[in-house]
Amino acid sequence: MNYQEKVREAFEILEDAKIKVFTALIQVAMSSEYQDIDELLSDEKNFSFRISDFGHATDPNINTLHHVVRIMEIAEEEMIAWNGQNNLNLQGNG
């Protein structure tokens, strides 16, 4: 595996990790500070959150997870800037 393939693999691992941390953030938020929203959305099958939806949380655990996801997004943006979407095999979703 050459350097660019290793970079591509690292980017994919970063993306997977970011998704897992963001999912954990949503789960923590829905069981605490955002419980009212969770109850309102209980009948919704498809509802999407954005990282910005959690930017004003007061729970320190939500804030920590929010920060981690933001840092991971910055890392992805920097990798895209350095390597280009084509080299990371992205189809305009980066």
Side-chain angles (χ1 to χ4, degrees), residues 19-50:
I19 290 167
K20 288 179 182 178
V21 174
F22 187 55
T23 299
L25 164 61
I26 292 169
Q27 291 171 346
V28 168
M30 292 301 117
S31 67
S32 63
E33 190 171 332
Y34 289 69
Q35 191 171 11
D36 292 344
I37 294 171
D38 188 42
E39 291 169 5
L40 286 172
L41 298 175
S42 64
D43 294 334
E44 292 291 325
K45 298 224 186 260
N46 293 319
F47 188 83
S48 297
F49 287 99
R50 296 178 305 233

Side-chain angles (χ1 to χ4, degrees), residues 1-11 79 83 86-89:
M1 192 178 271
N2 67 31
Y3 172 78
Q4 194 57 46
E5 291 169 334
K6 291 282 188 183
V7 169
R8 188 177 311 117
E9 180 181 61
F11 185 86
M79 288 184 79
N83 296 283
N86 290 339
N87 290 330
L88 295 174
N89 288 342

